[in-house]
Amino acid sequence: MVPPPMTSYLKIDAIGKSYGTTRVLHDVRLDVAPGDFTVLLGPSGCGKSTLLRIIAGLLDSDSGKLVLQGDDITALPAWDRDIGLVFQNYALFPHMTVAENVAFGLDMRNLPKAEIKARVAEALDAVRLGDLGDRKPAALSGGQQQRVAIARAIAIKPRLLLLDEPLSNLDAVLRASVRTELRDLHDRTGITTIMVTHDQAEALSIADRVVLMNEGRIVQNDTPEGIYREPASAFAASFLGSPPANLFPLPTASAAQTTGWTPPPAVAGHLGTDALLALRPEALKLTEEPTPHALPAHLKRIEFQGADRLAHVEALGHPLIVRLSDDQTLTRPDVWLTLPDTPRVFSKTTGALIAPATKG
Amino acid sequence: MRLKTVLWAAITFAVLAYLIAPIAVLIYSAFDDGKFFRFPPRELSLRWFREALASPEYRSAVLNSTILATIASVLSVAFGLMAALGLTRGPLRSRPIVEILLLAPLTLPLVVWAIALMQIYARLGLSGSVGGLILAHTIITLPLSVRILMATLSNIDPNLEDAARSLGARPLRAFARTTLPLAMPGVLTSAAFCFLISFNDVVVTTFIAGASWMTFPVRMYSQLRGQGVDPITLAIGAMIVALILVIVALGEARFKWSRRL
Amino acid sequence: MSIWSQPTGSLIVDPTPTIKNYARIAGDGYYIRGLLRTLWLSLATTALAALLALPLSWWIVRRAGRFRGLILTLVLIPMVCGALLPTLGLMNLLGPLGVINGTLKSLGLIDRSWKLLGNQTGILIGLVHAFLPLMVLPLVSALDRLPRDVEGAAMSLGAKRLQVWRRIILPLSAPGLIAGSALVFCAALTSFVTPLLLGQGKVATFATMAYQQASLVLDWPFASALAMVMLAILALIGTAAWGAQKWAAET
Ligand SMILES: Nc1ncnc2c1ncn2[C@@H]1O[C@H](COP(=O)(O)OP(=O)(O)O)[C@@H](O)[C@H]1O
Ligand SMILES: [Mg+2]
């Protein structure tokens, strides 16, 4: 694991939030390094938007502290925070033109007219909307509206840019290109950015750091590669990847024996305990001839996905998905499944990592 | 097919004629030169319009009505806006209350209000006071303004104000720059309707004001109950109706009033 | 207030709770007849308004085109002109020397005036006029919501015009019809100026009785009791309409 960033630009310190008796955030702690593109990833309803609104100052936390560039901003109202926020539905002011929308924050700062004009033009150019300043938002496409929302947020030269599911209202084709543009924009402006999404592919492709949330808690904070290769929990393993890791409950030693399976040594010790293996589809191999430690499996069908083929198999009564190598052909339904030598083992009940032991 | 279309149109125009007829007759009868309206009229003239404009009594009655309705509608919209904000945005929001509040005002049993207010005023010693009358008119118009404003606000994205705040606007300014301008059509609509309800009201006013504050409708009402309608009343009524029609036509064209009620 | 009493001839209210006022309403044929008459007038008003509003609303939604705004303005007339001015117009329209009788007489079609004022006919004409917008507006908004091609779709499935109306348009406009009926009924029930003026004091309704008690007899507790009865009916209608809406939404 990469060590946590030493210099903290934004420090989220034990932020808690409840609605009535429902706790939505449980003492969330997070350090964001300057200039980083951080993605808050998690299933719908896990509290991502709530956390984002608390950072923006639009919602009060019940407990905890926010420190931005060394200043405690917990009690600072939203309008004094200099934090740009892009709403999921964009929240463009429908009665103002694009240019007026972008100028709004500058207007509030009472900047001179000429400077406002220059900065509006600069922000619109940054999102490549230079010539649409006179339009009303309603006369723009979804993608254009979204770029206006971004221009409006970056025009104030924010200390932090927050994006709430910015891509979710775009169609699939647009989403991929806007993703790249967002990252480019970040790299050009250098604004420390936190983006919220529930789409793991989006998170992995765009982020410097992925912060995985579940049920109001941060469950892992890592680089995209780190979180993909070394999930810290069964939840992380099953949330990331497409398709995600197979969660394979281990049989008892006797059940393994009756099917004729001799597990690899790193796994054997966990037979019959409360253990799950997290097996990435690409880390599994299917063969028609037995290999040492291979598990007998039954091939049900092969799904063609263009670049990939996914084999759906069943082993010990559990379904598994295996990504096939390009040249492989399988002709028989009775196949052998080879596991990695040291797969990640999680507790079935708590989802916590059992093996390999974490470094440090 | 043709015949059916014609039939439809005929029914429609008959109903429309029924809607317009009383107003048309009212305006027409104001042109009757005689002291009492009769049809066919003996002679048509502008006599009563001239007298109406010259009469100080009537001028003060119309002025009274206008002042009362202006103050009441401004108050009603101000309080209505606060209530609507609380009910759609604030901690008070709750579905059942909202639904009842949305339906209730259209039936507004004025007689019931009037009887209740009359007794409350008698106890508080407000009977006959102008302040009490303004308050009463504010109260009877409030439900409609809350209804119209709630419908307006529920169509405005609450995120807009949050967006304004995150861009550096203080709460009041955020409201004034985003929600308020977007709610303006609703505000104007409810102001207009409150004004008209208050301006035209005779029930609540006669119950609680007695003779202390003679509004135009009260004057007209007492004539209708008593010796008969003065032709000057007809002339003023005709002018008022014409003015209302122009305002409503503009309101419908500009703000789609019929959809906001 | 309605549970207090006021000795006859006195203006002092006795604040001991009593159901005397309600007993008086229930026991006196005058009030029971008044209540029944009021209910009947409200019901008739509602039915007539629905009958007139249905074709008009359908026409506004489907045929009016660019005249829609103009026609809706006309529909709003009774609502925005208050109770009094249209009533005054109606009196000049319906009176013995009014437009209708005058026209018929000068054409020689009748020689004695039709009596259109001072009876239930006049009141009904006035009530329907006053509250027609309350029926038209919800109907128009209900019909607006129904997709333009449902009739076409129904007819393509073999439905005849009348069947389209009965099976498609009426059920789909039911929410508007229910809301409109409840509004018109409640408004007619508590209407006061129209029955008083067009009835010329000869037709007593619940609202005019309450007015009489409150303003002329000055028996406020009794007036309150009458008002409470009206309020109870309103609440009942409101609940019924709410239930009917739900039922219509489900079927
Ligand atoms: N205003 C609110 N009142 C009550 N519960 C809320 C409110 N806003 C959000 N929640 C609840 O808080 C949880 C987290 O919501 P949110 O932060 O919007 O999730 P996410 O953005 O991750 O989908 C959800 O379970 C949601 O139902
Ligand atoms: Mg969210």
Side-chain angles (χ1 to χ4, degrees):
Chain A
M1 254 219 247
V2 179
M6 295 308 293
T7 47
S8 173
Y9 185 80
L10 170 72
K11 187 175 188 63
I12 299 172
D13 193 3
I15 290 289
K17 176 76 189 169
S18 303
Y19 285 113
T21 54
T22 351
R23 198 95 206 258
V24 257
L25 292 177
H26 300 264
D27 297 339
V28 170
R29 288 167 210 275
L30 177 65
D31 284 292
V32 176
D36 256 6
F37 197 122
T38 303
V39 171
L40 287 180
L41 173 68
S44 183
C46 72
K48 308 178 298 288
S49 297
T50 306
L51 183 58
L52 214 60
R53 293 178 79 88
I54 288 174
I55 299 173
L58 296 171
L59 199 62
D60 288 329
S61 58
D62 299 337
S63 55
K65 211 164 71 160
L66 288 171
V67 180
L68 182 61
Q69 292 179 300
D71 310 328
D72 185 340
I73 60 162
T74 320
L76 202 65
W79 52 91
D80 287 332
R81 283 194 188 187
D82 280 331
I83 293 178
L85 174 58
V86 176
F87 290 75
Q88 187 169 1
N89 68 352
Y90 316 141
L92 297 179
F93 308 131
H95 55 306
M96 301 182 193
T97 62
V98 166
E100 284 166 347
N101 265 280
V102 178
F104 188 90
L106 307 172
D107 231 6
M108 294 299 124
R109 284 163 178 73
N110 297 320
L111 298 181
K113 283 247 156 39
E115 189 183 345
I116 293 183
K117 214 170 154 201
R119 277 173 67 174
V120 168
E122 188 190 339
L124 284 176
D125 280 341
V127 296
R128 297 187 296 103
L129 280 180
D131 43 349
L132 295 182
D134 294 332
R135 297 246 194 115
K136 286 279 176 71
L140 301 180
S141 71
Q144 290 170 330
Q145 290 182 14
Q146 195 238 24
R147 286 190 266 159
V148 176
I150 293 172
R152 186 175 69 177
I154 61 172
I156 61 169
K157 304 224 159 94
R159 300 206 273 174
L160 197 60
L161 179 63
L162 307 176
L163 303 144
D164 194 352
E165 311 228 5
L167 308 178
S168 66
N169 286 338
L170 304 177
D171 62 55
V173 179
L174 212 52
R175 214 174 293 165
S177 69
V178 175
R179 193 155 87 185
T180 322
E181 274 178 42
L182 263 181
R183 182 69 216 203
D184 279 353
L185 185 74
H186 167 265
D187 295 348
R188 268 182 284 138
T189 57
I191 303 174
T192 310
T193 303
I194 302 177
M195 175 176 125
V196 158
T197 183
H198 63 260
D199 181 334
Q200 52 87 28
E202 204 171 289
L204 293 178
S205 69
I206 203 171
D208 292 320
R209 295 199 70 86
V210 176
V211 175
L212 184 64
M213 288 183 70
N214 190 29
E215 295 178 348
R217 290 189 173 83
I218 290 182
V219 294
Q220 195 168 359
N221 171 3
D222 211 331
T223 60
E225 282 208 38
I227 203 164
Y228 186 80
R229 293 194 200 291
E230 296 174 346
S233 61
F235 169 75
S238 66
F239 196 78
L240 288 132
S242 137
N246 298 290
L247 292 182
F248 182 71
L250 282 180
T252 57
S254 61
Q257 208 161 27
T258 35
T259 42
W261 180 41
T262 346
V267 174
H270 300 288
L271 287 181
T273 65
D274 158 54
L276 285 172
L277 299 183
L279 305 167
R280 292 260 171 234
E282 61 273 21
L284 296 172
K285 262 209 292 288
L286 285 182
T287 49
E288 295 191 332
E289 300 306 323
T291 60
H293 308 304
L295 177 61
H298 183 73
L299 177 66
K300 301 180 79 171
R301 77 189 178 90
I302 293 177
E303 182 186 332
F304 180 66
Q305 287 207 318
D308 284 323
R309 284 172 307 151
L310 299 176
H312 295 250
V313 301
E314 195 177 287
L316 285 164
H318 289 281
L320 287 147
I321 294 178
V322 180
R323 183 164 279 137
L324 297 179
S325 59
D326 282 345
D327 45 357
Q328 189 171 18
T329 49
L330 291 167
T331 48
R332 281 187 283 140
D334 293 314
V335 289
W336 295 88
L337 180 67
T338 311
L339 312 184
D341 287 338
T342 51
R344 293 180 84 77
V345 186
F346 297 101
S347 156
K348 204 187 302 181
T349 44
T350 66
L353 186 66
I354 297 175
T358 37
K359 294 161 243 166
Chain B
M1 200 57 213
R2 271 266 152 269
L3 185 72
K4 248 175 208 152
T5 314
V6 172
L7 206 66
W8 268 116
I11 296 176
T12 308
F13 286 114
V15 178
L16 286 176
Y18 171 46
L19 280 167
I20 307 163
I23 296 305
V25 169
L26 176 74
I27 293 175
Y28 176 75
S29 56
F31 289 93
D32 184 347
D33 189 64
K35 195 111 178 79
F36 296 100
F37 174 72
R38 57 175 301 161
F39 192 88
R42 281 144 299 200
E43 204 180 326
L44 295 176
S45 80
L46 290 174
R47 174 178 163 201
W48 301 116
F49 288 97
R50 276 195 297 275
E51 288 198 20
L53 293 176
S55 155
E57 269 169 75
Y58 278 98
R59 200 181 300 147
S60 96
V62 172
L63 193 66
N64 282 350
S65 291
T66 311
I67 293 171
L68 176 60
T70 307
I71 299 175
S73 55
V74 168
L75 289 177
S76 179
V77 170
F79 290 127
L81 193 57
M82 286 186 241
L85 281 170
L87 288 164
T88 54
R89 304 277 157 94
L92 280 176
R93 67 182 159 215
S94 116
R95 279 272 121 224
I97 297 180
V98 171
E99 271 177 35
I100 291 170
L101 277 173
L102 277 177
L103 268 180
L106 283 183
T107 63
L108 203 72
L110 283 178
V111 173
V112 177
W113 270 113
I115 290 173
L117 283 173
M118 173 176 179
Q119 301 178 46
I120 295 167
Y121 276 21
R123 310 200 132 226
L124 298 177
L126 279 171
S127 306
S129 73
V130 175
L133 193 58
I134 290 173
L135 182 64
H137 278 228
T138 307
I139 291 172
I140 58 165
T141 51
L142 198 54
L144 187 65
S145 68
V146 172
R147 175 189 159 90
I148 294 173
L149 291 169
M150 269 170 64
T152 305
L153 287 179
S154 64
N155 282 325
I156 299 175
D157 181 1
N159 280 334
L160 295 181
E161 254 177 76
D162 283 344
R165 268 183 234 192
S166 81
L167 291 167
R170 285 162 183 282
L172 212 60
R173 204 155 172 211
F175 172 74
R177 292 284 302 265
T178 61
T179 308
L180 189 61
L182 290 167
M184 230 33 217
V187 167
L188 290 178
T189 303
S190 70
F193 277 91
C194 291
F195 182 92
L196 289 173
I197 291 175
S198 167
F199 187 90
N200 289 321
D201 174 73
V202 55
V203 181
V204 173
T205 314
T206 43
F207 268 62
I208 67 172
S212 64
W213 185 254
M214 190 52 90
T215 64
F216 175 68
V218 171
R219 181 172 275 276
M220 178 158 66
Y221 175 71
S222 64
Q223 291 177 3
L224 277 164
R225 300 265 317 168
Q227 77 282 22
V229 178
D230 190 328
I232 296 180
T233 304
L234 274 180
I236 295 179
M239 289 191 276
I240 289 172
V241 164
L243 196 63
I244 291 175
L245 284 186
V246 171
I247 293 171
V248 174
L250 290 176
E252 179 64 33
R254 181 84 177 71
F255 300 125
K256 299 266 172 289
W257 275 359
S258 60
R259 281 190 207 183
R260 291 179 181 271
L261 282 172
Chain C
M1 268 308 236
S2 63
I3 51 167
W4 297 335
S5 67
Q6 182 171 311
T8 325
S10 150
L11 288 181
I12 297 154
V13 173
D14 172 6
T16 350
T18 167
I19 56 156
K20 215 171 86 184
N21 292 313
Y22 294 100
R24 181 165 154 210
I25 297 173
D28 189 332
Y30 176 70
Y31 294 106
I32 294 295
R33 276 196 305 280
L35 181 61
L36 291 177
R37 188 184 304 122
T38 309
L39 289 173
W40 149 248
L41 280 172
S42 307
L43 203 63
T45 304
T46 309
L48 286 172
L51 211 62
L52 297 183
L54 264 171
L56 177 62
S57 310
W58 190 83
W59 198 84
I60 289 174
V61 171
R62 287 299 155 85
R63 293 272 182 272
R66 65 206 165 86
F67 296 112
R68 185 183 164 119
L70 178 70
I71 292 172
L72 281 171
T73 306
L74 298 179
V75 168
L76 286 175
I77 286 178
M79 247 179 143
V80 295
C81 290
L84 226 41
L85 292 166
T87 305
L88 186 53
L90 277 171
M91 290 169 82
N92 283 344
L93 180 68
L94 306 174
L97 296 174
V99 174
I100 290 178
N101 280 314
T103 309
L104 292 176
K105 266 194 260 182
S106 60
L107 291 174
L109 293 174
I110 53 171
D111 34 62
R112 279 193 45 217
S113 294
W114 275 354
K115 191 170 157 46
L116 295 169
L117 287 182
N119 55 19
Q120 295 197 7
T121 316
I123 295 180
L124 262 182
I125 294 174
L127 287 177
V128 173
H129 180 266
F131 303 129
L132 198 55
L134 293 179
M135 186 71 88
V136 175
L137 295 181
L139 265 178
V140 165
S141 80
L143 288 173
D144 263 338
R145 253 173 290 192
L146 93 205
R148 239 163 204 291
D149 27 359
V150 284
E151 295 134 76
M155 279 194 273
S156 77
L157 296 172
K160 299 246 160 26
R161 283 215 169 251
L162 208 64
Q163 280 176 314
V164 173
W165 263 87
R166 203 167 53 83
R167 302 274 299 272
I168 312 286
I169 296 181
L170 272 183
L172 287 176
S173 57
L177 201 58
I178 294 166
S181 301
L183 292 176
V184 172
F185 190 90
C186 293
L189 186 83
T190 58
S191 161
F192 153 71
V193 172
T194 307
L196 196 67
L197 294 179
L198 295 177
Q200 299 190 316
K202 288 171 201 144
V203 184
T205 68
F206 233 55
T208 65
M209 289 171 178
Y211 168 71
Q212 216 170 25
Q213 290 298 326
S215 283
L216 306 175
V217 185
L218 295 178
D219 186 345
W220 290 0
F222 187 58
S224 301
L226 291 168
M228 287 309 293
V229 173
M230 280 192 275
L231 218 50
I233 298 174
L234 292 191
L236 209 68
I237 298 291
T239 318
W242 186 68
Q245 291 279 25
K246 277 188 118 170
W247 175 81
E250 277 157 23
T251 52

